[in-house]
Amino acid sequence: MPDKKDDPCDALPHPAAEYCRVPDDADGPPGNGGGSGAVTEGASDLVMDLAKTLIDALYGLLAPEKAWAPKRTDSWVYQQFLWLGQHLSVAIFTCVVVVCALTAWQGVPRLRQMGASTGWTLAAVAMMASIPGAVELLHKAVSAAFRAAFADGQGTLLATIEADLKATQSWDPVPVLLLVAALVVALAFAALVFMTRQLGILVFVCMAPVVLAALARGGDMTAVKLWAQRLLGLLFAPFALLLVTPFVSLTRGALVLDAVLLVAADAIMLRMIFHGVPYLGPRIAGAARSVVERNTHSKIVRAVVRAGSPDVYEEENSPRVPRTVDTPGRAATQDSGVLLAAYGVKAPSRPGRLTTASYIDKAQREEGDRQARAVQVQRVRRQARAAADRLPTPPAPLPPPARSDGPPPST
């Protein structure tokens, strides 16, 4: 046998390297005792390694240790937005000072406005320089909390899956294969979550100076609150998997039920990520649902995708009734309108209306309901006529006595 440092089997992963080092006259790989059980036990080890690799990949995609957003203000990409935000703040502050000087005859109100603008301008410039570091620290804290909750906790879904795989003795291939398939599907969703979160965090961090510059007008927090809500939604999105944690105790030892819970968690993640992230949601979710419904006839799979992407109407302006959502373009327009309003610019808004596809869908639904109501009314009328025909004919009423205009007869 060659020397260990020149052993070609070292280039193979475990347990393939052990199989490579087994002599030709041996009955089976070392450590398995030979015989027919060696292949089964080796396959079980391979399945364990595959499941462990998939779970580690899920951790890495849902809670990455590094973000694509800049960590410090010296990043070239962030420097451009920081320069723009600082100059916007100075320009707005200058305009406020000029307006207060021209209307100084009003006295104390203009002095208060100038003092508020001065304080908010300084606060906005300071916050611009601290946003990258704050977002990086928050991202690391969220990732560490996610890993601690899912890796160390015994009541979480992925930890329960690992424990069930280790405790399984019979190695029935059907539940194991179902679980591996569910892990692969979860990995695809995790990749989509990773791309959405990383790109969204990058965009929102770079837009921070422009949004914070609006505070120089006097502390208008509308645009800042909207920006913070979007960013926090992106950062805390992976914790949607914690919603299935209360049901984990019911599936201990059952790999099939673990797979069902994992698919349910995928559906919750799909709904929360797509509908929680602006500009990206309903259209992609609806397209994914259409693809699944066109390529499969399984009622269970269709129920899962409908739970993740329910029927909604896309509305091009503010919602008028429940179950309506904004189109991605209209959502972006509304957010930009909020930012322009923070700068004092009133953006024109069109009246609310449904998109063409949603209007056609709504008209078809209303037409179907109208036809169903017409059929029901006709059926009720026929039943009423039939019941009326079966009733006996009432006798004709007696005619009233004839009245004479003369005096009554004498007795």
Side-chain angles (χ1 to χ4, degrees), residues 315-320 330 334 348-355:
E315 195 168 26
E316 292 188 354
N317 206 351
S318 59
R320 293 174 296 177
R330 180 55 59 185
Q334 288 181 353
S349 59
R350 291 179 295 177
R353 61 178 182 179
L354 296 177
T355 59

Side-chain angles (χ1 to χ4, degrees), residues 368-380:
D369 295 341
R370 190 180 298 109
Q371 292 178 357
R373 286 195 300 269
V375 171
Q376 184 179 4
V377 169
Q378 291 178 1
R379 184 173 64 251
V380 172

Side-chain angles (χ1 to χ4, degrees), residues 225-304:
K225 288 180 180 179
L226 182 62
W227 168 81
Q229 288 174 358
R230 307 293 196 200
L231 183 59
L232 292 177
L234 286 171
L235 288 173
F236 289 93
F239 285 97
L241 290 175
L242 291 176
L243 296 177
V244 298
T245 301
F247 304 97
V248 170
S249 60
L250 305 176
T251 64
R252 291 188 180 275
L255 296 180
V256 177
L257 295 180
D258 290 340
V260 172
L261 267 186
L262 191 57
V263 173
D266 293 337
I268 295 174
M269 180 72 73
L270 172 70
R271 179 176 177 83
M272 295 191 68
I273 288 296
F274 281 168
H275 289 267
V277 178
Y279 325 138
L280 197 65
R283 193 162 293 180
I284 295 180
R289 172 182 167 177
S290 300
V291 170
V292 172
E293 289 182 341
R294 282 197 305 265
N295 293 277
T296 183
H297 299 286
S298 175
K299 295 182 179 180
I300 298 177
V301 176
R302 291 195 172 194
V304 170

Side-chain angles (χ1 to χ4, degrees), residues 4 149 214 259 282 325 397:
K4 185 175 182 180
V325 296

